[in-house]
Amino acid sequence: MMRFLLLFSRQGKLRLQKWFTPMSEREKKKIIRDMTTMVLARQPRSCNFLHWKDLKVIYKRYASLYFCLAIENQENELIALEVIHRYVELLDKYFGNVCELDIIFNFEKAYFILDEFLIGGEIQETSKQMVNRSIEASDMLQETMEEYMSKPAF
Amino acid sequence: MPAVSKGDGMRGLAVFISDIRNCKSKEAEIKRINKELANIRSKFKGDKALDGYSKKKYVCKLLFIFLLGHDIDFGHMEAVNLLSSNKYTEKQIGYLFISVLVNSNSELIRLINNAIKNDLSSRNPTFMCLALHCIANVGSREMAEAFASEIPRILVAGDTMDSVKQSAALCLLRLYKTSPDLVLMGEWTSRVVHLLNDQHMGVVTAAISLITCLSQKNPDEFKTCVSLAVSRLSRIVSSASTDLQDYTYYFVPAPWLSCKLLRLLQCYPPPEDGAVKGRLVECLETILNKAQEPPKSKKVQHSNAKNAILFEAISLIIHYDSEPNLLVRACNQLGQFLQHRETNLRYLALESMCTLASSEFSHEAVKTHIETVINALKTERDVSVRQRAADLLYAMCDRSNAKQIVAEMLSYLETADYSIREEMVLKVAILAEKYAVDYSWYVDTILNLIRIAGDYVSEEVWYRVIQIVINRDDVQGYAAKTVFEALQAPACHENMVKVGGYILGEFGNLIAGDPRSSPLVQFNLLHSKFHLCSVPTRALLLSAYIKFINLFPETKATIQEVLRCDSQIRNSDVELQQRAVEYLKLSSIASTDVLATVLEEMPPFPERESSILAKLKKKKGPGAVSVPDLEDGKREGGELNGGGERGPDSAAMSASNASTPSPSADLLGMRSAAPMSAAPTSAGSLLVDVFSEAGPAAPSAAVNDDGFLRFVCKNNGVLFENQLLQIGIKSEYRQNLGRMYLFYGNKTSVQFASFTTTVSCPGELQSHILSILRLNVQTKPVEPVVEGGAQIQQVLNIECLTDFSEAPLLNIKFRYGGALQNLSLKLPVTINKFFQPTEMTSHDFFQRWKQLSQPQQEAQKIFKANHSMDTEVLKAKLLGLGTALLDDVDPNPENYVCAGVIQTKGQQVGCLLRLEPNGQAQMYRLTLRCSKDSVSLRLCELLAQQF
């Protein structure tokens, strides 16, 4: 199973954190620190895999963002790499040419999309159409933009 | 600015996020956040009821602040309110907040569970999925208690929507992992297995993760999944790339599902049914064939997905380890990848080959790639790839290529990345020892190791070379000559000085004939390093010097002068001073004969498991040093140290035989143990007459318990006493290690004959091979005779491997006036001996206390006081326990709280303790919370009898 997924920028700013097993805040902070320093220190064109404690860490850079996924030791690295890619595709499909800013300003959406794709560290649905269909269905349930704009900002 | 926000964008949130982004400094950010927190707090507290939208917006802001890394201590209630909103977006944000900021506050959990229950029964698939995601994200025990019986029903119900089934399957898996005892699959098993046949690929993909986990735990109940998995796999593998529509990923049909199916099959042995097996082999062959076909796309996603399946298929082939043909094909395929231009594939090929190297069918095939692997070690730019290459070289090493591999690893060490040097050093040392045919090569290798990477050579490595040189007399002369030469270097590593000092002290005489290495030259060489060394090395050198005086009387005057000078005899370090004084005295008053006896050559070391192998295992985790490798190590290690190993063992054996001059032993020609068990019937009556009250000495050897309990909070004292024998105990513990001195005192005036003691550890006696050894206790046999009035001593070395509750047993047998005495005692080795005290503040204590809130982590007992309730007595006991006694933590000053960490070899277990005395009722309440359930229980049991 997957243990956690982190998205961070080249400057090491965390953009998304998803933990698939319970962990204390202190542990999380330590892991985030370890991952950013480890991954950011990697030379370009290195392989995308690292061993870290008893886990395998799979990372890939998309533009200014690093996606970093930790999986258990017996899991398949290449398919995990494609889990990352599929998530990127899902974000891209939803936002249209997704960029870091989309994830910053719509962080809750990034979490919702992830929940449709992965649950409890396992893949729920691999089909892009299927995931998008359920995200769109939930967007349909939302009120219109105008309704929101008429409401006070603070 | 807020233009980037999409869909239902919350304008206030977007404004806040851009404000934060515009902050120029950390301080400005914190200021802005505090302002926002104050604002939200006042809104939440305000009299005006907030509408759903505002509530959602503020909860979302809090979430954002939390994800930035700030603490959030309010808003939970508002989030819970959102759960019961009938607006989807409000509900969704509520669930997200709960999933991210779980709180074990029981009041809230009840409310959350209520909301989830409503959504689960709403029959609205979108709401049901939200609720299921939340359960899976939180996955707490309370949720398992509330929903573990409900979810299987949802999963297998005929009218459940596919998307809900998918969420339900994975949600159940999550609950099964946290609370397997609550998820009862019994009646659902076969319907869950049949989800593998579901029409909807998404359902199969989600269900297979659940099935795989359940199969690992209950292989028999789920074994029907094997044939279903094979047929599903076969359908996917043989489908054209477009058949599966959206489940085809870059022209590869269902790669995730294929990998999962292959992984599920790895929970089982090869299928017994010929047809199923045939079909599976066909699948595996197809997958191997496809690897040779030209790619359908140039995209890396295509090749990744395809190769992911290929590597998983290879894992299955290796797991079966029964199809030589497939194994060799797998190996050839990996061989191709070793030279692939994709770094990822080279990395994975090296990793996968490591496991292949341990199969007897493919070991030789792996070896053919040695040149490529060596090349990878030399030329790969990426250190993690080089590391895999080093691992593979280690795995493929055998007698035929050991010299080449060790030489390559040594030369790599000179430039190796610092992060992997220590491990490389251990590996080189192990290989050199394991495959040494010629010991001069072994000695050269280790000395080179010290020369190249001295800082990374741990004590175990240089201890080991000394053990081996001492145990093998054919290499001693060579070793002396080589260290002598190595020490000539102007700068040599301190570890080299240690080895040099030890070996020349023992075997310097073997090279003293050569005038270039005459005794004085040797001494001067060693002494020239003395001042640059640390205290322990200097101490070792002083011992080498006194050995020189014995080996070469002509050096006596020079060495005495050195010992006599102020920097030695008045050294501020106690150990050095004592050695200097004692050695000087010894050399001046002892006769040559006495000196020769005292300073005799070291006897061979008893053979144990190689300490360096143990160290590597510890470093890499027990799984990392593959099993065949270990067996190999034992088998061939014996060869290397043959002389040393058999020597002391057989000597001990004959000694113990000789020391049991019992007539029946001769008569029956049995080993010493036999008469012991045969004797009691005749001895019994005599004993009962003479020592009627000496219960424990009765032949049945009832285990004596009460002595044991007295030692829970102390380490020294009398463990046992009767008219014949007194057993005293002294013990000391550090981290996960302990040493116990047992003193056996003969209280009579007659000697005890055939005195033997054995210590057995919990777990050791069960013959089942998988039972875990929890404690490791090592000792040497004691003197077989204890004279009247005399006392003998025995030392036990104890290592705590993992937490334990059974104490080791000490069995003592001896003859007193012809009657056999047999006595069993529990040795007071209890889990609390391995405590390290932990000081913490009240805040930390209660935070941890809350973290350890799962019911099974807590153990509690309420009991009557058996001893004085005096404060000082209690404090002394609690300190004796090994924990830190924390002041000013508990709001009630009458109570005691303690904290500590139990150190075992494998892990550390944090423990918190609270003892609440009630003086009036003469009662205590004792509560323990530990990160491991079994430890809470055991400590509670032990302590409840102490107060």
Side-chain angles (χ1 to χ4, degrees), chain A residues 37-73:
Chain A
T37 39
M38 233 169 64
V39 169
L40 293 174
R42 300 276 292 167
Q43 300 290 321
R45 298 210 292 133
S46 298
C47 75
N48 297 86
F49 317 129
L50 292 167
H51 275 227
W52 182 78
K53 300 200 174 159
D54 60 338
L55 300 179
K56 289 173 177 171
V57 173
I58 317 300
Y59 72 93
K60 187 160 180 178
R61 183 176 158 182
Y62 287 87
S64 57
L65 264 190
Y66 282 91
F67 288 69
C68 172
L69 178 65
I71 56 176
E72 285 173 358
N73 217 343

Side-chain angles (χ1 to χ4, degrees), chain B residues 141-213:
Chain B
R141 178 122 190 127
E142 288 88 346
M143 288 202 170
E145 276 164 1
F147 303 110
S149 54
E150 173 73 13
I151 295 171
R153 229 183 297 274
I154 298 176
L155 175 60
V156 298
D159 57 348
T160 306
M161 298 266 294
D162 289 330
S163 62
V164 178
K165 271 191 194 168
Q166 286 165 272
S167 302
L170 293 177
C171 183
L172 192 58
L173 170 60
R174 182 80 195 85
L175 294 186
Y176 183 75
K177 281 188 176 165
T178 27
S179 316
D181 54 316
L182 295 176
V183 179
L184 302 171
M185 290 310 296
E187 44 180 321
W188 313 114
T189 306
S190 106
R191 292 166 79 178
V192 168
V193 171
H194 276 88
L195 288 173
L196 286 177
N197 264 341
D198 200 285
Q199 296 225 308
H200 190 285
M201 293 282 271
V203 173
V204 189
T205 308
I208 195 167
S209 296
L210 173 67
I211 296 169
T212 307
C213 178

Side-chain angles (χ1 to χ4, degrees), chain B residues 318-337:
Chain B
I318 297 173
H319 167 76
Y320 286 163
D321 199 18
S322 60
E323 302 281 327
N325 173 36
L326 287 176
L327 279 163
V328 170
R329 282 194 68 183
C331 185
N332 292 340
Q333 181 60 55
L334 294 177
Q336 281 183 21
F337 283 152

Side-chain angles (χ1 to χ4, degrees), chain B residues 488-515:
Chain B
Q488 309 277 344
C492 62
H493 196 272
E494 188 163 337
N495 280 335
M496 188 71 87
V497 179
K498 288 177 185 162
V499 175
Y502 203 106
I503 288 184
L504 292 180
E506 294 293 324
F507 310 113
N509 55 329
L510 300 175
I511 56 166
D514 187 331

Side-chain angles (χ1 to χ4, degrees), chain B residues 663-677:
Chain B
S664 58
D666 289 341
L667 208 61
L668 298 171
M670 281 179 169
R671 303 241 324 269
S672 52
M676 295 291 187
S677 51

Side-chain angles (χ1 to χ4, degrees), chain B residues 279-555:
Chain B
R279 211 164 168 198
L280 178 57
V281 169
E282 214 170 278
C283 286
L284 295 171
E285 278 169 348
T286 314
I287 294 170
L288 286 168
N289 291 341
K290 279 190 179 172
Q292 302 301 324
E293 288 169 11
K296 293 197 175 66
S297 153
K298 283 213 166 69
K299 287 245 163 70
V300 66
Q301 283 76 27
H302 171 70
S303 68
N304 279 349
K306 194 169 138 184
N307 291 326
I309 301 173
L310 178 60
F311 274 106
E312 208 56 67
I314 291 175
S315 297
L316 181 62
I317 293 169
I318 297 173
H319 167 76
Y320 286 163
D321 199 18
S322 60
E323 302 281 327
N325 173 36
L326 287 176
L327 279 163
V328 170
R329 282 194 68 183
C331 185
N332 292 340
Q333 181 60 55
L334 294 177
Q336 281 183 21
F337 283 152
L338 285 183
Q339 318 231 30
H340 202 280
R341 64 187 165 76
E342 277 266 341
T343 315
N344 285 344
L345 289 180
R346 297 199 301 276
Y347 175 97
L348 293 175
L350 289 166
E351 189 180 61
S352 203
M353 263 201 185
C354 263
T355 41
L356 213 47
S358 55
S359 160
E360 55 171 319
F361 298 113
S362 50
H363 183 77
E364 288 304 315
V366 170
K367 272 168 61 187
T368 59
H369 298 287
I370 185 166
E371 296 302 332
T372 321
V373 181
I374 288 173
N375 199 37
L377 185 65
K378 285 179 178 160
T379 59
E380 282 289 351
R381 287 152 35 112
D382 183 347
V383 56
S384 43
V385 184
R386 293 201 298 272
Q387 165 119 48
R388 294 286 88 77
D391 285 350
L392 178 54
L393 282 179
Y394 178 75
M396 66 160 70
C397 190
D398 63 17
R399 201 168 291 282
S400 72
N401 55 20
K403 282 201 175 173
Q404 185 188 8
I405 286 180
V406 166
E408 293 295 347
M409 287 172 94
L410 267 178
S411 76
Y412 173 61
L413 251 182
E414 306 210 29
T415 54
D417 204 80
Y418 293 107
S419 56
I420 60 173
R421 282 197 181 184
E422 191 184 349
E423 196 186 314
M424 291 282 296
V425 166
L426 287 174
K427 286 184 165 165
V428 170
I430 289 168
L431 293 178
E433 175 182 341
K434 192 159 132 189
Y435 298 115
V437 196
D438 122 37
Y439 288 92
S440 50
W441 174 72
Y442 171 74
V443 169
D444 284 342
T445 304
I446 301 295
L447 293 185
N448 265 330
L449 209 51
I450 296 175
R451 200 171 45 73
I452 296 169
D455 282 344
Y456 298 90
V457 172
S458 54
E459 290 191 330
E460 286 86 350
V461 173
W462 75 262
Y463 286 173
R464 191 71 190 153
V465 68
I466 284 173
Q467 283 175 11
I468 287 174
V469 169
I470 286 182
N471 288 5
R472 305 277 324 182
D473 44 18
D474 54 342
V475 74
Q476 289 158 356
Y478 182 80
K481 180 165 159 286
T482 325
V483 284
F484 177 77
E485 278 161 11
L487 287 171
Q488 309 277 344
C492 62
H493 196 272
E494 188 163 337
N495 280 335
M496 188 71 87
V497 179
K498 288 177 185 162
V499 175
Y502 203 106
I503 288 184
L504 292 180
E506 294 293 324
F507 310 113
N509 55 329
L510 300 175
I511 56 166
D514 187 331
R516 283 167 302 175
S517 53
S518 70
L520 264 179
V521 175
Q522 285 184 40
F523 171 73
N524 286 332
L525 181 61
L526 279 179
H527 198 55
S528 69
K529 315 282 180 196
F530 188 92
H531 304 281
L532 302 169
C533 292
S534 63
V535 169
T537 309
R538 289 187 191 193
L540 187 152
L541 285 177
L542 288 178
S543 298
Y545 297 170
I546 185 75
K547 289 221 157 194
F548 266 52
I549 295 185
N550 174 43
L551 289 178
F552 319 114
E554 67 265 39
T555 60

